[in-house]
Each structure stands twice: as C-alpha cells, then as structure tokens.
Amino acid sequence: IVEFRALVASGYYKGHYMMGMCYYYGHGVKVNDQRSLEYFQIASDHKHPTARYMVGLFLYKGIGCPKDLALAKKYIESAAKYG
C-alpha cells in the first residue's frame, strides 16, 4: 500500500485505481466504500476503463453512494468504449 500511496502523491492516476481496489477489498486498509469510490472516480476522470466500470458498478448497486442507474449506465458504456 505504501507504493500505491506514493503513486497517488505523484499524481499517477493508476495509483488512484490501485488505492480504490485496496479500499474496496480491504488490502492493507479497512474496507471503505466511499473512499474506494473517490479513488476510482479520480482514475475514471483519466479514462481508466476498469475504474470507470467500478464507478458504474458502485452507482448501479448504491455502494458508497445513492443508486443512479442512468449514470451507472453511462460509466459502464464508457468503460467498454475505453477498454
């Protein structure tokens, strides 16, 4: 997790995706859905396809945020476009 935090501090968007995964699965940190979503969103803003899918999944299921099916669909479709 130290390496991923260093990547985040340097602004490398893939580091944000990895930190999102750490918070999602609880690797080296406590599970925190809202924090995970924040990290995925940052990576998604850089067109990271898997991060976009994860944001869509969170929105679809209401994980760490209110459900928003229309927005979830947009994120999942854009994940397919960039992936």
Side-chain angles (χ1 to χ4, degrees):
I1 190 131
V2 173
E3 296 87 3
F4 299 143
R5 286 189 175 148
L7 291 173
V8 167
S10 73
Y12 186 56
Y13 72 93
K14 289 184 181 179
H16 288 91
Y17 169 74
M18 295 307 299
M19 284 299 295
M21 293 303 283
C22 288
Y23 279 103
Y24 184 67
Y25 289 110
H27 294 297
V29 293
K30 286 184 109 177
V31 171
N32 184 326
D33 293 334
Q34 290 176 329
R35 195 91 192 254
S36 179
L37 179 58
E38 290 170 12
Y39 281 113
F40 287 143
Q41 184 63 58
I42 293 168
S44 174
D45 291 345
H46 291 278
K47 297 184 173 86
H48 189 288
T50 311
R52 284 185 178 234
Y53 173 78
M54 292 302 290
V55 172
L57 179 68
F58 277 45
L59 288 165
Y60 179 77
K61 292 187 172 187
I63 301 171
C65 62
K67 280 187 177 186
D68 187 332
L69 300 181
L71 191 55
K73 181 180 177 193
K74 288 181 183 180
Y75 272 96
I76 292 170
E77 286 175 348
S78 72
K81 177 183 175 183
Y82 292 110

